[in-house]
Amino acid sequence: MTPVIAAAGVVKDFEQVRALDGLDLMVEPGEIFAVLGPNGAGKTTLLGILEGYLSRDDGAVEVLGVDPASAGSSWRQRIGIVLQETSLEPLLTVRESLELYAGYYRTPRPVDEVIEMVGLEDSAQVRAGRLSGGQQRRLDVGIAMVGNPDLLFLDEPTTGFDPSARRNAWEMIAGLRELGTTVLLTTHYMEEAATLADRVAIVVGGAVAAEGKPAALAEGLPTRIVFRVPDVVDPASIPIQSDFIVRDGILTVSIETTDPTTDLESLIAWARSNGHSLDGLEVKTPSLEDVYMELVG
């Protein structure tokens, strides 16, 4: 299949700052693709170029088979954009807002369908200025989806949300996959990317430092075993090399291992033979956040 997004060697400079430094990226049809990275990594610059609002200094870019730098109105009919911050018309109801934006497209999605899609059925007649933050974000997504886009850009879609509102937003975004819509999202939340994304790219210093399925990226990292024992225990007696801290009479031990089963058996045998209890024992498998921290620091 032809990629929805194909970027190769993209470079963008702002005066003395190189925002993108030979970035490569490919997004396949129908997938949710997350772009991660610290502030200043180039995520927003990348979106601006892919959306056709920023020029690039070098490299090649195709979005939906077209170079965004020279794309026309027919191409824009095929994309939807949800910015980090938007300004809704506060006096228009949810339905009126969607009807307004639907009028800008040749073949919009039915407004009632969009209202149901974003979960605003009970608020269809509520003015946008009276919506909660989570509801306003749902309306943002609805406005981006009312044109029935093939590709949706989501820039930090759940920033500032409480945990409940974030989970609700995740359900809504995951539902877009069933529509066949390709989604490119940026986020600072590792759990969000791991939950939603088919693949992720971690951008560091304006280039992709790692790319792949969230679970696959973490496969090469060690498992961490953590437990607590009284500080009278000699750390040197622990049968596996470990890091530890002592606080308030408690020794907290942390062990990195690539063979957690064998090492756990060894630790349990040591604890039993010495009359110790491994309080708070946790076995932490590597996560996307571990990969991110390994790359970003």
Side-chain angles (χ1 to χ4, degrees):
M1 292 185 292
T2 302
V4 173
I5 296 173
V10 179
V11 174
K12 179 63 178 178
D13 293 322
F14 293 102
E15 296 181 354
Q16 303 302 314
V17 177
R18 173 149 290 188
L20 296 178
D21 189 15
L23 183 140
D24 299 322
L25 189 70
M26 187 170 293
V27 179
E28 302 295 341
E31 70 177 344
I32 297 178
F33 193 101
V35 178
L36 312 174
N39 291 331
K43 303 187 302 297
T44 299
T45 300
L46 172 64
L47 285 189
I49 291 172
L50 297 178
E51 294 163 356
Y53 292 112
L54 277 178
S55 63
R56 61 187 183 274
D57 297 317
D58 200 0
V61 176
E62 281 195 356
V63 176
L64 297 171
V66 177
D67 185 340
S70 57
S73 61
S74 60
W75 177 82
R76 294 211 166 272
Q77 293 274 326
R78 300 179 61 195
I79 68 170
I81 299 173
V82 179
L83 303 174
Q84 285 188 37
E85 296 182 7
T86 59
S87 180
L88 299 168
E89 174 51 59
L91 298 181
L92 293 182
T93 66
V94 167
R95 181 179 298 280
E96 290 168 343
S97 298
L98 292 171
E99 288 173 344
L100 172 66
Y101 282 90
Y104 299 144
Y105 295 92
R106 300 188 187 102
T107 57
R109 190 180 294 273
V111 168
D112 285 336
E113 184 179 315
V114 175
I115 290 173
E116 181 179 357
M117 181 194 310
V118 298
L120 289 175
E121 300 97 322
D122 295 338
S123 304
Q125 301 305 323
V126 177
R127 298 184 190 277
R130 292 185 173 273
L131 298 174
S132 68
Q135 290 172 324
Q136 289 185 2
R137 205 55 170 161
R138 286 174 176 268
L139 180 54
D140 288 340
V141 174
I143 288 171
M145 289 298 296
V146 77
N148 200 19
D150 297 315
L151 170 63
L152 179 65
F153 293 98
L154 294 176
D155 194 4
E156 305 285 355
T158 63
T159 297
F161 279 25
D162 62 50
S164 176
R166 183 170 294 118
R167 293 282 178 174
N168 290 336
W170 291 355
E171 292 179 7
M172 175 183 62
I173 295 168
L176 300 178
R177 186 187 284 110
E178 299 175 7
L179 301 174
T181 306
T182 303
V183 178
L184 179 69
L185 75 96
T186 67
T187 180
H188 280 110
Y189 299 110
M190 298 301 110
E191 185 182 5
E192 182 164 282
T195 300
L196 291 174
D198 299 297
R199 290 189 300 132
V200 302
I202 300 175
V203 177
V204 181
V208 174
E211 181 271 320
K213 295 181 178 180
L217 287 176
E219 284 180 353
L221 296 180
T223 297
R224 186 177 296 275
I225 301 172
V226 180
F227 60 90
R228 299 187 302 273
V229 290
D231 64 358
V232 294
V233 174
D234 180 5
S237 70
I238 299 173
I240 303 165
Q241 185 176 359
S242 61
D243 297 322
F244 59 89
I245 59 171
V246 179
R247 183 177 297 143
D248 298 328
I250 299 295
L251 184 70
T252 299
V253 180
S254 177
I255 296 170
E256 287 190 349
T257 175
T258 56
D259 189 1
T261 302
T262 299
D263 287 346
L264 272 173
E265 290 175 349
S266 177
L267 286 168
I268 291 170
W270 166 78
R272 284 175 174 169
S273 64
N274 289 278
H276 302 319
S277 175
L278 304 180
D279 293 335
L281 177 65
E282 290 184 273
V283 180
K284 301 180 179 180
T285 57
S287 66
L288 182 60
E289 183 171 358
D290 295 318
V291 178
Y292 181 88
M293 295 306 296
E294 187 82 10
L295 294 170
V296 174

